[in-house]
């Protein structure tokens, strides 16, 4: 099923209205669709590198808008829709640790997500469930999504189609380097402020639905 969805998504790169499909995939992926927009974005940038930044901006804007939908699902419809979605997407076990980490670290987790394969939809639904400050959620989502998509768009715009081989081979390393820098910053702060962050991480790694509770307190 996932493979069929992936093939369907890739077919949209050659559609006359490919930009609309890119926006739609980016929007729904942030709340419930299992296929990320990055492969579709890459194909479209490869076909027309001069529009790469435009495509990346479309991805960013649509994904942030979709994240708002995911936040709404977690905030208003967690028990009726959110739980079902997490189960369908295979993210039920990942939800308790995500809720715990978001409660402890908030925007930092969403910012780090931009350099990791953590499903964005997991964080958007979780952020709504824990009633994270919406303004902070929105700004962190914008920064995270912009990093994730604009890096691809800018590289294609600057270097054209030949950059594809570099992106395919090294993009994970570039994003990973960013993640290491961010984590190093957190460790430095933790060293100055004591071991509270480490204790929180230990607690969150073993979080369960029972331990996080469903009363949002």
């Amino acid at each position: 099923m996932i493979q069929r969805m992936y093939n369907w998504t890739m077919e949209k790169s050659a559609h006359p209205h490919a930009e609309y499909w890119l926006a739609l995939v980016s929007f729904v992926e942030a709340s419930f669709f299992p296929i990320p927009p990055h492969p579709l974005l890459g194909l479209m940038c490869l076909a027309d590198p001069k529009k790469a930044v435009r495509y990346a901006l479309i991805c960013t804007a649509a994904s942030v808008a979709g994240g708002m939908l995911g936040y709404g699902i977690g905030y208003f419809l967690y028990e009726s829709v959110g739980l079902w979605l997490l189960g369908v997407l295979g993210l039920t076990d990942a939800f308790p640790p995500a809720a715990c980490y978001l409660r402890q670290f908030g925007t930092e987790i969403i910012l780090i997500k931009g350099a990791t394969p953590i499903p964005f939809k997991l964080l958007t639904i979780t952020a709504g469930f824990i009633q994270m400050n919406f303004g902070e959620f929105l700004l962190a989502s914008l920064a995270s999504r912009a990093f994730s998509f604009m890096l691809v768009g800018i590289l294609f715009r600057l270097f054209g189609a030949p950059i594809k081989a570099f992106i395919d081979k090294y993009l994970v390393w570039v994003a990973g380097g960013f993640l290491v820098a961010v984590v190093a910053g957190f460790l430095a702060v933790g060293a100055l402020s004591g071991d509270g962050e480490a204790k929180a991480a230990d607690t969150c790694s073993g979080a369960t639905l029972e331990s996080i509770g469903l009363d949002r307190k």
Side-chain angles (χ1 to χ4, degrees):
M1 178 180 175
I2 297 296
Q3 185 61 47
R4 288 199 299 272
M5 287 185 177
Y6 179 85
N7 293 339
W8 176 86
T9 302
M10 292 302 94
E11 290 172 1
K12 303 309 174 187
S13 65
H15 194 278
H17 300 298
E19 289 187 2
Y20 295 103
W21 284 110
L22 179 64
L24 178 62
V25 170
S26 300
F27 179 84
V28 297
E29 186 274 336
S31 51
F32 61 85
F33 193 61
I35 307 300
H38 299 77
L40 178 57
L41 172 64
L43 283 180
M44 291 176 63
C45 290
L46 181 63
D48 193 350
K50 291 183 179 180
K51 293 184 178 180
V53 173
R54 173 186 173 89
Y55 296 149
L57 285 170
I58 290 172
C59 268
T60 300
S63 185
V64 171
M68 294 167 64
L69 173 60
Y71 183 98
I73 291 173
Y75 194 101
F76 298 107
L77 303 171
Y78 174 74
E79 293 186 8
S80 58
V81 178
L83 272 174
W84 174 80
L85 268 179
L86 292 171
V88 170
L89 296 169
L91 298 174
T92 302
D93 292 339
F95 171 75
C100 181
Y101 279 117
L102 274 175
R103 280 174 173 159
Q104 294 291 336
F105 302 108
T107 57
E108 290 90 342
I109 296 298
I110 296 178
L111 288 171
I112 289 177
K113 184 268 166 272
T116 71
I118 300 172
F120 189 52
K121 61 189 73 63
L122 170 63
L123 296 185
T124 63
I125 294 173
T126 305
F129 169 78
I130 69 168
Q131 299 183 353
M132 179 180 178
N133 179 278
F134 184 73
E136 293 180 1
F137 165 78
L138 199 58
L139 289 175
S141 296
L142 180 60
S144 175
R145 298 282 78 186
F147 172 81
S148 183
F149 299 126
M150 294 303 296
L151 179 61
V152 174
I154 290 172
L155 287 175
F156 267 107
R157 183 64 183 88
L158 292 177
F159 303 105
I163 198 62
K164 183 179 185 298
F166 174 86
I167 290 177
D168 289 343
K169 190 173 183 179
Y170 297 111
L171 185 61
V172 172
W173 292 100
V174 173
F178 173 81
L179 175 60
V180 169
V182 173
V183 171
F186 287 160
L187 291 176
V189 172
L192 294 174
S193 60
D195 61 351
E197 287 84 354
K199 290 180 179 178
D202 290 341
T203 300
C204 290
S205 63
T208 64
L209 286 174
E210 290 75 17
S211 66
I212 65 169
L214 294 178
D215 57 1
R216 308 187 183 201
K217 296 180 180 178

